[in-house]
């Protein structure tokens, strides 16, 4: 049996916050505003995996009203969600993601980000792909005020 999952996230980019993408701190003048560390990529990945398994979503697992998750490292959130997916008997075939980000350039960080996500999930980096697009100067992404992410995954049953 196989299942697909889709995740999406959007975070504002503001000064005075670190830019964390897929668990990697990328030096930049702005970062994601959010209750946790604001890692939009890991949030979209978490939702894709939870959705594929049909066991909930990130808001349900980690309510923004719960002080326990304030300032959380999103790798921890992903690890908790992934453990719940594994518990249901699934394994990951692959994960594919698109980040919409005007600046900075993502390509130099891609390998590190793929390895970072793969290490949280206990899979090979070649099962995880991430590509970036700019906003072509248009809209919130194009003005550098937001980062937007889509993530798609394929799960297969382990037996
Ligand atoms: Mg988020």
């Amino acid at each position: 049996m196989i299942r697909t999952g889709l995740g999406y996230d959007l975070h504002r980019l503001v000064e005075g916050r670190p830019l964390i993408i897929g668990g990697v701190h990328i030096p930049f003048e702005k970062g994601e505003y959010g209750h946790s560390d604001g890692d939009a990529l890991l949030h979209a990945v978490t939702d894709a995996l939870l959705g594929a398994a049909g066991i909930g979503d990130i808001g349900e697992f980690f309510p923004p009203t719960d002080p326990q998750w304030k300032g959380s490292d999103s790798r921890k959130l992903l690890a908790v969600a992934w453990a719940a997916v594994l518990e249901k008997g699934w394994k990951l075939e692959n994960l594919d993601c698109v980040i919409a980000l005007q600046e900075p350039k993502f390509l130099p960080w891609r390998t590190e980000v793929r390895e970072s996500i793969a290490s949280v999930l206990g899979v090979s980096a070649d099962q995880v792909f991430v590509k970036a697009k700019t906003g072509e100067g248009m809209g919130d992404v194009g003005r550098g005020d937001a980062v937007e992410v889509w993530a798609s995954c394929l799960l297969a049953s382990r037996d």
Side-chain angles (χ1 to χ4, degrees):
M1 192 158 56
I2 57 170
R3 292 276 192 92
T4 67
L6 176 65
Y8 167 81
D9 200 19
L10 167 77
H11 278 253
R12 275 198 286 145
L13 291 175
V14 296
E15 285 176 13
R17 293 271 302 184
L19 180 64
I20 313 282
I21 295 183
V24 176
H25 182 194
I26 298 180
F28 189 55
E29 65 210 32
K30 289 176 166 182
E32 299 110 325
Y33 182 79
H35 183 69
S36 65
D37 62 8
D39 191 330
L41 175 54
L42 289 194
H43 296 173
V45 166
T46 301
D47 258 349
L49 295 169
L50 288 173
I55 55 173
D57 64 41
I58 194 168
E60 223 178 332
F61 268 66
F62 313 104
T65 49
D66 186 343
Q68 183 186 349
W69 308 114
K70 187 167 168 51
S72 270
D73 181 337
S74 295
R75 285 176 299 188
K76 165 118 188 280
L77 309 186
L78 175 57
V80 169
W82 181 232
V85 174
L86 288 174
E87 172 86 3
K88 293 289 181 187
W90 298 105
K91 65 176 180 175
L92 182 68
E93 289 296 331
N94 80 302
L95 184 62
D96 190 21
C97 312
V98 178
I99 305 176
L101 180 69
Q102 191 65 28
E103 282 185 304
K105 287 231 174 302
F106 176 72
L107 195 55
W109 298 92
R110 173 150 72 197
T111 300
E112 197 176 330
V113 167
R114 292 177 69 191
E115 286 167 356
S116 167
I117 298 171
S119 77
V120 177
L121 300 176
V123 300
S124 160
D126 69 13
Q127 290 168 272
V128 177
F129 203 75
V130 185
K131 63 197 79 73
K133 299 286 180 187
T134 70
E136 292 280 346
M138 295 180 291
D140 294 331
V141 168
R143 278 190 302 273
D145 290 336
V147 56
E148 207 171 8
V149 181
W150 295 261
S152 161
C153 72
L154 186 70
L155 300 182
S157 58
R158 286 205 299 279
D159 40 61

